[in-house]
């Protein structure tokens, strides 16, 4: 046993965890096995046979695209048509997508093509796999996809690195030489033109043939790849929302009655029941919870934590299933079905590239996370406000006035919560007609994917602010750290390793960054593990 993880296979059974492993942890991807290669070759043969039919009219193969689908293309020009599609669609703009997102796109697209319904040659899939394994990551602008004829612009920038114009490379590489276009890519920490990156990695760029331009660009790949990474991160954030809430419960001397198991069982919502159970486990043995004997009940931001965070767990579990199904889907157009027994095979044009589903899922994820951040910020506000904090000093500093304490840190959290409100406007309700009204309803799912990631990043920061604030509040309570529950004590100690108590004013920006890093690498999660036991599983049940 070497301890080296097994390569991820393109078998139509990709999981969210597989995507994370390849995108972020440098797990390798196995090249096509014999059965998959045979399946892909059979689909490719169907394209070749269709092209050989006199007068064949096949969308995107012997016709133009979109509003130009009525224009006939001669069979000998079909390969050039594929390359022209890459050229015209490589029109993205804006800040490049993060490298992990692009690596996820490479994997998801390779897996979709390996299902054998896209009509590409195996070498196209082999090339995407080699790019992943050798570390070539295309530079993909983040804006420009409508999410409806697939993620055309981002996928075209990716395909320009992976492939080239058909036939021998005729270009000199000069300005305006369309055959020499190769986009840009990252390789070994350097950004360079795609052809140079591929050459440095020892990967040949195959010349495109008929249908292959469409197969590389038509699909929900950017949306679904982004959704997989974001669901993984969202699930981790939800645990940290519970860890932060548990510390705030103690910082504010909250009532434990709101976590009564009978109360949550009565509402019959599994996510809510699970959140309440984890909070009870984290707070077990606390001498701060219920310390205010005169209080009858707490504000909603405390006692309704299970009712707010729990449904988000439920939503993430639902979305996890939908996204994993989409990781293993063929979202190309047209689809190429190989002959089988009595079935002669067919090339079928439809709309599997439409991103309405991913757009709805990503909108939902963003909306749900925005609510988690909002709840967290309200708890921070209570801790900083003397009228609401059960005796804590104003702004959580021992000498308020001379020192502003955490005042401005809560401003930052409030700004991010309001930013989330704007970002959470659902992109899926928007549409705009394009391509001379042939493409008259689009999903805007790529925008939803970008916005969901921004909301997720904002929420991580807001939770880091709550962890810092709750730890500061507990520091200010008489013997506060010694009165923590077993689970929250472990979390508090990790926070203290990252951030020292605030005695006088200082910049807290780096403190927040350190706590965000602790969230990302799972330090807090591991610290709480002893209290949670098997209450926290690695994937939704």
């Amino acid at each position: 046993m070497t301890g080296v993880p097994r390569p991820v296979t393109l078998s139509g059974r990709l999981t969210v965890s597989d995507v994370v492993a390849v995108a972020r942890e440098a797990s390798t991807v196995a090249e096509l096995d014999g059965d998959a290669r045979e399946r892909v070759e059979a689909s490719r043969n169907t394209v070749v046979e269709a092209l050989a039919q006199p007068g064949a009219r096949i969308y995107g193969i012997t016709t133009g695209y979109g509003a130009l689908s009525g224009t006939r293309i001669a069979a000998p020009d079909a390969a050039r048509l594929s390359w022209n599609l890459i050229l015209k669609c490589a029109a993205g703009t804006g800040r490049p997508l993060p490298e992990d997102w692009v690596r996820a796109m490479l994997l998801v697209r390779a897996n979709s093509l390996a299902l054998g319904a896209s009509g590409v040659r195996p070498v196209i899939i082999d090339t995407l796999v080699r790019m992943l394994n050798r570390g070539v990551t295309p530079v993909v602008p983040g804006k420009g996809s409508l999410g409806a004829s697939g993620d055309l612009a981002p996928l075209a920038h990716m395909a320009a690195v992976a492939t080239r114009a058909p036939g021998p490379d005729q270009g000199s590489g000069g300005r305006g030489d369309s055959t020499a276009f190769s986009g840009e890519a990252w390789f070994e920490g350097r950004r360079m033109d795609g052809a140079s990156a591929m050459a440095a990695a020892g990967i040949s760029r195959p010349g495109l043939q008929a249908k292959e331009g469409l197969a590389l660009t038509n699909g929900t790949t950017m949306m679904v790849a982004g959704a997989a990474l974001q669901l993984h991160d969202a699930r981790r954030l939800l645990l940290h929302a519970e860890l932060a809430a548990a510390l705030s419960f103690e910082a504010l001397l909250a009532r434990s009655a709101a976590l009564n198991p009978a109360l949550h069982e009565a509402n019959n919502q599994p996510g809510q029941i699970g959140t309440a159970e984890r909070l009870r486990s984290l707070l077990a043995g606390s001498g701060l919870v219920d310390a205010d004997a005169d209080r009858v009940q707490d504000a909603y931001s405390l006692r309704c934590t299970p009712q707010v965070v729990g449904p988000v767990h439920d939503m993430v579990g639902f979305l996890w299933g939908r996204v994993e199904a989409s990781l293993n889907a063929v979202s190309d157009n047209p689809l190429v079905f190989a002959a089988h027994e009595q079935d002669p095979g067919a090339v079928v044009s439809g709309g599997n590239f439409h991103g309405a589903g991913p757009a709805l899922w990503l909108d939902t994820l963003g909306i749900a996370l925005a609510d988690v951040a909002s709840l967290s910020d309200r708890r921070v506000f209570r801790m900083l406000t003397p009228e609401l904090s059960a005796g804590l000093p104003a702004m959580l500093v021992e000498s308020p006035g001379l020192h502003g304490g955490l005042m401005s840190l809560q401003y930052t959290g409030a700004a991010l919560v309001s930013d989330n409100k704007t970002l959470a406007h659902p992109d899926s309700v928007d549409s705009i007609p394009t391509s001379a009204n042939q493409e008259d309803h689009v999903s805007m799912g790529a925008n939803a994917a970008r916005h969901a990631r921004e909301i997720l990043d904002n929420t991580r920061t807001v939770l880091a602010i709550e962890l810092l604030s709750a730890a500061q509040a507990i520091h200010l309570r008489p013997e506060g750290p010694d009165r923590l529950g077993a689970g929250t004590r472990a979390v508090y100690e990790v926070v203290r390793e990252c951030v020292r108590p605030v005695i006088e004013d200082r910049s807290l920006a780096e403190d927040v960054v350190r706590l965000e890093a602790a969230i990302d690498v799972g330090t807090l999660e591991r610290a709480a593990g002893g209290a949670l036991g098997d209450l926290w599983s690695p994937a939704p049940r």
Side-chain angles (χ1 to χ4, degrees), residues 148 354 356 428 430-434 438-443:
H354 201 288
S428 56
D430 190 21
S431 181
I432 190 168
T434 58
Q438 177 74 1
E439 298 164 4
D440 55 355
H441 181 278
V442 297
S443 78

Side-chain angles (χ1 to χ4, degrees), residues 126 131 192 194 233 282 327 346 407-408 418 449 454 482 484 513:
D126 294 340
M131 291 169 69
M192 61 188 82
D233 293 347
L282 290 164
L327 291 176
M407 179 193 298
S408 294
S418 281
E454 286 189 64
D482 293 333
L484 290 168
V513 170

Side-chain angles (χ1 to χ4, degrees), residues 159-482:
V161 175
T163 62
R164 59 176 175 81
D169 189 352
Q170 304 158 2
S172 63
R175 291 176 61 86
D177 185 351
S178 63
T179 63
F181 177 70
S182 65
E184 291 184 290
W186 289 99
F187 180 66
E188 295 185 342
R190 292 185 299 141
R191 182 171 172 170
M192 61 188 82
D193 70 89
S196 296
M198 294 288 275
I203 307 172
S204 298
R205 297 165 65 223
L208 283 175
Q209 294 187 9
K211 175 63 173 67
E212 291 176 337
L214 266 179
L216 284 164
T217 56
N218 254 13
T220 58
T221 304
M222 173 190 169
M223 294 174 263
V224 172
L229 296 177
Q230 290 164 38
L231 282 174
H232 172 271
D233 293 347
R235 192 161 183 280
R236 170 162 283 172
L237 281 190
L238 291 180
L239 173 62
H240 288 85
E242 293 166 354
L243 301 181
L247 278 181
S248 295
F249 258 70
E250 292 179 297
L252 291 164
L253 311 181
R255 300 272 298 164
S256 65
L259 303 178
N260 186 297
L263 184 149
H264 296 286
E265 293 287 348
N267 207 29
N268 201 31
Q269 298 298 319
Q272 174 185 330
I273 292 167
T275 293
E277 187 176 9
R278 285 185 289 276
L279 289 174
R280 288 195 303 272
S281 293
L282 290 164
L283 294 168
S286 173
L288 292 169
V289 170
D290 296 324
D292 185 351
D294 295 329
R295 192 182 310 174
V296 176
Q297 65 177 16
D298 294 304
Y300 289 179
S301 59
L302 288 162
R303 64 183 160 113
C304 294
T305 296
Q307 289 86 348
V308 176
V309 176
V312 184
H313 276 289
D314 292 334
M315 187 57 63
V316 167
F318 168 77
L319 297 177
W320 200 285
R322 299 274 45 79
V323 168
E324 284 198 338
S326 293
L327 291 176
N328 298 291
V330 183
S331 57
D332 191 3
N333 181 63
L335 299 191
V336 182
F337 299 104
H340 178 70
E341 295 180 352
Q342 302 303 314
D343 187 341
V347 181
V348 182
S349 183
N352 281 1
F353 50 66
H354 201 288
L360 285 167
W361 307 333
L362 287 156
D363 280 344
T364 301
L365 180 62
I367 290 167
L369 290 175
D371 202 25
V372 171
S374 178
L375 189 75
S376 173
D377 174 69
R378 291 301 82 203
R379 292 189 293 260
V380 173
F381 183 84
R382 297 191 77 79
M383 286 185 273
L384 270 65
T385 306
E387 295 81 6
L388 305 174
S389 67
L392 291 167
M395 303 303 152
L396 293 180
V397 69
E398 291 177 352
S399 302
L402 175 63
H403 299 289
L406 275 60
M407 179 193 298
S408 294
L409 197 60
Q410 194 270 325
Y411 293 173
T412 298
L416 295 177
V417 166
S418 281
D419 190 30
N420 282 352
K421 294 172 187 176
T422 304
L423 292 167
H425 174 82
D427 290 286
S428 56
V429 302
D430 190 21
S431 181
I432 190 168
T434 58
S435 193
N437 236 12
Q438 177 74 1
E439 298 164 4
D440 55 355
H441 181 278
V442 297
S443 78
M444 297 300 179
N447 289 351
R450 288 188 300 102
H451 293 155
R453 182 145 180 162
E454 286 189 64
I455 291 170
L456 191 147
D457 290 342
N458 285 345
T459 300
R460 182 189 297 106
T461 302
V462 172
L463 292 176
I465 289 171
E466 184 181 3
L467 286 163
L468 190 156
S469 302
Q472 176 71 7
I474 290 163
H475 166 77
L476 294 169
R477 293 282 184 202
E479 299 180 342
D482 293 333

Side-chain angles (χ1 to χ4, degrees), residues 50-51 53 55-64 69 71-75 78 81:
L51 275 171
Q53 299 298 317
R57 293 178 63 88
I58 311 167
Y59 174 75
I61 300 177
T62 61
T63 76
S69 59
T71 303
R72 290 286 300 276
I73 305 297
L81 180 68

